[in-house]
Structures are given as C-alpha cells and as structure tokens.
C-alpha cells in the first residue's frame, strides 16, 4: 500500500506504476515538508545542474527526491546440518535445547552471522584452531568485507539562513544521490579516474568488488549521498561505497563474548595528482566541498545564506581536516559474508547458500557485496523475500504463496495517506 500524504502532496512527484499495491510493507512520504526544500533548495539544485525525477523508484537513482519509508550430516566436501543446539539462558538450568530442520536460516546480522558461523566451525582455520574450535568448513572469507560507509554527521554541513520556514514539525527525508562526475570538479574527476584506471588490484579488496566499483564510477551511478534528515538546514554527506573494508571475527570460543570488529577506516591509499591520499576520505571531502560551493553560490539559496559551516571557500587541506574530524560511523553496516564467487572472496552463492554446506543459508545484510545506498533496509527486505521464494520453490516447499507473487494491479494508484495530530 502506498500513497503521499494528502496535506503535502503538492510537494511530491510520483508515478503510481512504480509502487506496489500489496505486500507486507506500507510506504508513505514524510509527514511534513520543510518549506526550505520546495521554495529554495530544489530550484537551487536545478539551477546548479542537478536533476529532479518524476519518481526515483522508476530505477534512475542519480537525482534528488523526498524519500519514502515503511510505516549435521557429513558428506565428502559438503556439510549438511539437520539440527541446531542453543543454550537456554532464560532459565537457571542453562540446558541445551535442540532444533531440527531441513533448511537452516542464519539471520543474525552483519556482526553475529559471522560470529555464529565461526563458532560452528565454518571459517578460517587460522582463527578457529587457536580458540579450540574444530574447523568443519574451511572458508577463510567469513567475516571479511565488512563495510561502514563514512558519514559526516558529527557535525554535518550546516547553513545559517535569513529566512523562516514552515513544515518542520516532523523529521525530514530529502535525499540526493549523485555520481562522482556530478560531485567533483573536472580536474578532480579526471585525476581520480586516472588512478582507478591504473589500479589493477587493492590488497584486502576482492577484484570482483573493485571491478564493480569501477563500473559504478564510470557508468555515473550514485556514489555520494547528501541527506537532509533534520528539521533545520543541516545536510549529511555519505560516501556510499568505500573501498576500505573491515572484518568481524571471534576472539573467544564463548558464544556470549562479543566478536572483534575492525572497520578498517581509510585503509585504501590512492595517488591523486602525485599526492598519496586516503581514498575514501578524500572522495567524501572533495565531493562535500564541491557540492557545498554550488549550493552556496547558486540562486535562490545564495540569497538567504548568511554563513555555512564548514566554510566552502577555504583551502582544501583545511576543509579536508574539518570533514575528517566530523566523520564517523553511518551505523548502516553491510557485508562480512559477501555474495561472490568463492575464489573471489565470497561466503554465499546466488542462492544464499554458504559454500561448503548443503542447507545453510544467510539471509541478512552481511551478504551484500557492495552497498547500493546509505540505508540498506529496502534491499534487506528484498533479500528476505528472495529467500522465502527460494525455500518455497524447493521440493516440499509448498510453492509460492500469493504474497510472494508479483501484483497484477496497483490498487493504491489513487490513494493518499492523511495524517492528523499523530505523535511520531
């Protein structure tokens, strides 16, 4: 079910064809629109050369828009798990309980799915053996490829404006996704492209993922997000697809001990115009300064801006230093058990099956080989739906339920959502 709020529908452009009429998720636009966006920011971005689509959900992601939200048997080289065991910590007995099933679904997230695999003997023997865990499946890729996109949100870019606005009653969600070409000067884009073209491999980054990044870069797909998610004039820059990747591994055989998480920020170095730089931070800072300069110097925003923090008209070294100090976790982790070929660093195949097993599947954001946007929620839902389809289509699965079949019509084409005095 989908519909824009009736009281602010004039601020939204959407095509009902791109929105389903049934399913588990009801999506709507935000409950109020800060008048800064339609009156000043949107025309400024248009004047600066950026585009507004009719509806981003049509498939073209490079643009800006108002987002929507959701209201064990052993065989030769394969291991089949027929049952699971767990410790019941809710009782005083700490008794071990057993669960049996033909298919095992591991859905513990980017941190604990890797932890559970390793505790079960699926992982790198160099990590497992010293902890007294017998390797069952030699899969050194478990726990690698963890990504935490750097986000300048500590403090974001903030504008002081000599105007007053309405519509700030609720949290805002004005999102701009842009390609590198649209967020860098011609000189910076050319220099960065030259480094990418000359880079054949990066230690710690599977070649398949480097190839995907190059494709995204040169095909002008979104790599930077500018998110206005505040009720004031603040915007958060994201580097959506960092090349630096981290790890998550157990450091104890105790299942209740937290694993060791190493996000590995800014590990990848690049040579740009003869200077060695931290690639992910350089790209984020360059994009933020380029974009901020455009917004601050283009009408009509330039008529109401009295100051901006950080200042856009300072040397890049100074701007870079500020961005780095203000950048931290995006709290949107993905990866750790990527869906790639095993020899390319993968943990699961295209059917979500863990390599070396016959019936263990991972269904969470840890399987994403790269991050398609700052917020992985939508794709995580899609992975869950795909897993349900796979299981239902298997022998004995019962066939697809109606809820997993594509809708034949859009029953919400003329629907609107009306909000009264609702407390968020």
């Amino acid at each position: 079910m989908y519909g824009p709020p009736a009281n602010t529908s004039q601020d939204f452009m959407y095509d009902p064809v791109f929105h389903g009429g049934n399913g588990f998720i009801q999506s709507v636009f935000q409950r109020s629109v800060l008048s800064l966006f339609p009156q000043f920011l949107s025309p400024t971005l248009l004047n600066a050369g950026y585009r507004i689509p009719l509806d981003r959900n049509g498939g073209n992601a490079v643009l800006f828009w108002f987002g929507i939200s959701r209201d064990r048997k052993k065989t030769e080289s394969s291991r089949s798990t027929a049952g699971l065991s767990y410790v019941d910590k809710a009782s005083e007995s700490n008794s071990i309980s057993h669960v049996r099933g033909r298919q095992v679904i591991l859905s513990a997230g980017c941190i604990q799915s890797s932890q559970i695999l390793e505790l079960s003997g699926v992982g790198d023997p160099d990590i497992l053996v010293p902890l007294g865990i017998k390797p069952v499946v030699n899969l050194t890729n478990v726990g690698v490829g963890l990504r935490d996109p750097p986000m300048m949100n500590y403090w974001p870019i903030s504008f002081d404006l000599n105007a007053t606005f309405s519509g700030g009653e609720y949290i805002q969600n004005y999102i701009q996704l842009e390609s590198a070409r649209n967020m860098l000067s011609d000189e910076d884009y050319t220099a960065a492209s030259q480094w990418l073209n000359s880079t054949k491999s990066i230690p710690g980054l599977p070649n398949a993922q480097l190839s995907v990044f190059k494709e995204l870069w040169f095909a002008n797909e979104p790599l930077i997000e500018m998110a206005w998610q505040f009720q004031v004039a603040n915007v958060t820059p994201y580097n959506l697809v960092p090349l630096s990747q981290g790890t998550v591994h157990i450091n104890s055989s105790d299942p209740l001990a937290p694993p060791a998480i190493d996000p590995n920020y800014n590990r990848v170095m690049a040579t740009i115009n003869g200077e060695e730089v931290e690639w992910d931070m350089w790209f984020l800072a360059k994009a933020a300064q380029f974009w901020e300069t455009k917004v601050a110097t283009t009408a009509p925003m330039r008529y109401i801006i009295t100051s901006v923090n950080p200042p856009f008209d300072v040397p890049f070294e100074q701007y870079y230093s500020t961005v780095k100090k203000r950048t931290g976790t995006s709290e949107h982790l993905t990866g750790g058990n990527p869906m790639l070929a095993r020899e390319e660093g993968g943990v699961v195949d295209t059917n979500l099956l863990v390599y070396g097993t016959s019936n263990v599947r991972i269904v969470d954001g840890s399987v994403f080989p790269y991050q398609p946007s700052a917020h992985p929620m939508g794709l995580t839902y899609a992975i869950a739906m795909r897993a349900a389809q796979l299981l239902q289509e298997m022998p004995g699965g019962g066939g697809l339920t109606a809820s997993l079949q594509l809708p034949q019509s859009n029953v919400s084409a003329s629907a609107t959502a009306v909000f009264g005095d609702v407390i968020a």
Side-chain angles (χ1 to χ4, degrees):
M1 182 66 180
Y2 168 83
N7 57 326
T8 56
S9 59
Q10 71 276 6
D11 296 318
F12 302 102
M13 296 184 298
Y14 77 105
D15 188 336
V17 172
F18 301 140
H19 301 269
N22 58 10
F24 298 108
I25 308 301
Q26 177 171 322
S27 60
V28 296
F29 282 114
Q30 62 206 50
R31 297 179 177 185
S32 67
V33 175
L34 189 66
S35 58
L36 164 68
F37 303 141
Q39 293 178 10
F40 293 94
L41 184 59
S42 290
T44 295
L45 293 175
L46 285 172
N47 291 339
Y50 296 111
R51 294 177 295 139
I52 298 180
L54 175 60
D55 193 324
R56 174 199 179 256
N57 293 279
N60 186 350
V62 182
L63 35 87
F64 57 96
W65 85 107
F66 289 100
I68 60 175
S69 59
R70 67 170 173 92
D71 198 62
R72 300 193 187 169
K73 286 181 181 179
K74 187 175 182 183
T75 57
E76 299 172 324
S77 61
S78 176
R79 183 163 179 90
S80 175
T81 300
L84 296 176
S85 300
Y86 67 93
V87 178
D88 184 5
K89 300 295 289 187
S91 68
E92 296 180 357
S93 64
N94 284 346
S95 60
I96 295 178
S97 300
H98 302 274
V99 179
R100 298 187 62 83
R102 289 173 299 173
Q103 300 296 325
V104 177
I105 303 299
L106 182 55
S107 186
C110 296
I111 304 302
Q112 291 186 298
S113 283
S114 298
Q115 180 185 19
I116 292 173
L117 284 178
E118 291 181 335
L119 289 169
S120 304
V122 180
D124 187 342
D126 290 342
I127 295 173
L128 305 183
V129 172
L131 298 175
I133 298 174
K134 181 182 177 180
V136 176
V137 177
N138 185 340
L139 193 57
T140 58
N141 306 325
V142 170
V144 303
L146 184 72
R147 282 177 312 281
D148 184 10
M151 172 184 72
M152 181 188 168
N153 198 33
Y154 307 92
W155 182 253
I157 297 173
S158 58
F159 295 90
D160 287 330
L161 308 173
N162 61 359
T164 57
F165 307 101
S166 61
E169 296 86 355
Y170 299 99
I171 296 297
Q172 303 297 296
N173 195 31
Y174 188 90
I175 306 297
Q176 182 179 0
L177 297 176
E178 291 294 345
S179 66
R181 187 181 293 276
N182 289 346
M183 294 295 282
L184 296 176
S185 68
D186 291 341
E187 178 184 0
D188 288 333
Y189 178 80
T190 298
S193 298
Q194 290 173 346
W195 174 74
L196 281 172
N197 274 326
S198 65
T199 300
K200 305 306 179 185
S201 64
I202 295 175
L205 182 71
N207 289 334
Q209 288 179 304
L210 178 59
S211 297
V212 167
F213 183 84
K214 289 182 178 182
E215 176 67 23
L216 295 172
W217 181 278
F218 291 110
N220 296 323
E221 295 296 336
L223 292 172
I224 292 290
E225 176 173 325
M226 306 299 293
W228 299 75
Q229 296 175 309
F230 306 91
Q231 292 153 286
V232 293
N234 293 347
V235 59
T236 298
Y238 288 82
N239 181 340
L240 293 178
V241 188
L243 291 181
S244 300
Q245 298 190 2
T247 60
V248 53
H249 291 299
I250 58 173
N251 55 10
S252 169
S253 59
D254 179 0
L256 300 182
I261 305 169
D262 181 2
N264 231 345
Y265 297 125
N266 298 319
R267 182 187 61 81
V268 174
M269 305 300 293
T271 303
I272 309 294
N273 289 326
E275 180 184 359
E276 190 174 51
V277 300
E278 297 169 328
W279 167 260
D280 295 327
M281 193 59 60
W282 177 89
F283 181 33
L284 180 65
K286 279 288 187 179
Q289 187 174 27
F290 179 82
W291 178 92
E292 185 184 323
T293 301
K294 274 199 167 188
V295 169
T297 59
T298 303
M301 282 291 288
R302 68 185 180 94
Y303 298 130
I304 63 171
I305 293 175
T306 57
S307 66
V308 60
N309 187 354
F312 63 89
D313 52 354
V314 296
F316 175 68
E317 292 74 16
Q318 180 179 339
Y319 193 90
Y320 175 93
S321 177
T322 301
V323 171
K324 188 171 183 179
K325 290 177 182 177
R326 298 184 181 186
T327 296
T329 175
S330 63
E331 300 180 1
H332 293 324
L333 296 177
T334 60
N337 298 301
M339 182 189 293
L340 291 170
R342 187 170 186 172
E343 63 274 14
E344 285 286 352
V347 173
V348 301
D349 64 15
T350 54
N351 289 318
L352 305 173
L353 191 68
V354 176
Y355 290 116
T357 74
S358 64
N359 66 340
V360 180
R361 286 175 168 81
I362 301 179
V363 184
D364 57 36
S366 71
V367 305
F368 299 159
Y370 76 94
Q371 188 133 331
S373 67
H375 203 305
M377 179 187 69
L379 189 55
T380 304
Y381 284 147
I383 287 288
M385 295 292 286
R386 177 57 180 152
Q389 290 175 331
L390 288 170
L391 293 173
Q392 290 184 358
E393 290 172 340
M394 296 177 74
L400 291 180
T401 59
S403 62
L404 292 177
Q405 298 172 4
L406 292 176
Q408 300 301 311
S409 64
N410 188 344
V411 299
S412 63
S414 60
T416 59
V418 180
F419 295 106
D421 296 326
V422 180
I423 299 176

